[in-house]
Amino acid sequence: MNSLSELHLDALSEVFNVGAGRAAASLSEIVGDEVRLSVPSVEIRKSSELDLTAISLDSNRFGTVHQTFRGSFQAEALLLFTEEHALEIVRDMMGSQISLEDLAEFEQEAMCELGNIILNACLSAMADMLNIPLDCSLPDYTVATTEEIFRRVANDQTQPYVLLLHIDLAIEKRRSEGHLIFLLSSTSLESLIFQIERYLGEI
């Protein structure tokens, strides 16, 4: 088996919604305003078939937080925000009195923290609900073009599957859209499906 059924995707949506709730609570404490994160849908694609329409990329440059995680299965995670939105989020995290021009020196540290909060919240929810061990690497942050992102995803023959999540992030009146991409090997996808089926059998 190398594909996720609607039932599998519904279960993952439930898992990631729990993770989004945890992340929103943590971010609210940092920025001092209500933060809302939604994960409305989850889908699986072959990385070789991924295109711009799959994740609605409407910018050419993205702030990209990258982490790897391992445990019952292994994957790479990429959290994408447009470069402009990334800087706005950093300003909200650092304090609105800081100008966009002065944010460059804080951008990498703050975006790594943002990515760490969102990714760890999602993965800890997965670990808790599926009852599996998952360990994460430290995050790293880069600004990459759309072409660089797709080249990285499409050319990785060891991880031919992509799990896509669309994220709406709202801080007070500001709204940003992000995308969370998990790169999975065939073995990892099979392991994930096995863990989901075990979880579904217990509820």
Side-chain angles (χ1 to χ4, degrees):
M1 180 184 295
N2 61 1
S3 62
L4 293 171
S5 68
E6 287 299 319
L7 187 60
H8 295 141
L9 293 174
D10 287 345
L12 277 178
S13 292
E14 180 183 349
V15 168
F16 285 119
N17 272 311
V18 170
R22 293 179 181 181
S26 297
L27 290 172
S28 294
E29 292 183 9
I30 292 174
V31 303
D33 281 311
E34 181 185 4
V35 175
R36 295 183 303 278
L37 276 172
S38 63
V39 184
S41 62
V42 181
E43 63 176 313
I44 188 79
R45 295 281 190 97
K46 287 187 176 179
S47 55
S48 59
E49 299 173 353
L50 197 64
D51 57 25
L52 289 172
T53 61
I55 49 179
S56 305
L57 298 183
D58 56 359
S59 176
N60 190 48
R61 290 176 63 81
F62 289 84
T64 305
V65 182
H66 169 260
Q67 274 186 300
T68 58
F69 62 94
R70 54 187 53 84
S72 294
F73 59 92
Q74 299 183 29
E76 284 188 73
L78 299 174
L79 178 64
L80 309 178
F81 286 98
T82 66
E83 187 177 21
E84 178 184 359
H85 283 167
L87 287 173
E88 291 174 347
I89 292 167
V90 171
R91 182 165 61 177
D92 287 330
M93 294 176 69
M94 301 301 298
S96 58
Q97 71 276 9
I98 299 177
S99 67
L100 286 175
E101 291 75 17
D102 294 333
L103 285 177
E105 61 182 296
F106 302 109
E107 181 178 359
Q108 180 162 344
E109 180 181 353
M111 287 304 293
C112 281
E113 182 177 2
L114 174 71
N116 200 43
I117 290 169
I118 293 176
L119 292 171
N120 279 346
C122 289
L123 295 175
S124 68
M126 183 182 291
D128 291 347
M129 295 178 71
L130 300 185
N131 194 25
I132 56 176
L134 285 175
D135 295 316
C136 296
S137 69
L138 292 174
D140 61 77
Y141 175 72
T142 57
V143 175
T145 65
T146 305
E147 291 74 18
E148 289 168 339
I149 294 167
F150 275 89
R151 187 162 57 244
R152 176 177 185 172
V153 171
N155 291 347
D156 191 344
Q157 300 301 316
T158 64
Q159 298 179 123
Y161 294 97
V162 177
L163 190 64
L164 294 174
L165 292 87
H166 174 77
I167 297 171
D168 277 329
L169 184 152
I171 302 175
E172 201 173 10
K173 295 182 179 179
R174 189 190 311 282
R175 180 174 296 278
S176 300
E177 291 186 355
H179 303 277
L180 184 52
I181 300 175
F182 291 98
L183 306 180
L184 299 165
S185 68
S186 297
T187 302
S188 289
L189 179 60
E190 290 174 1
S191 178
L192 175 60
I193 291 171
F194 172 79
Q195 299 296 344
I196 294 171
E197 290 182 337
R198 184 173 58 82
Y199 164 72
L200 291 171
E202 295 173 352
I203 59 175

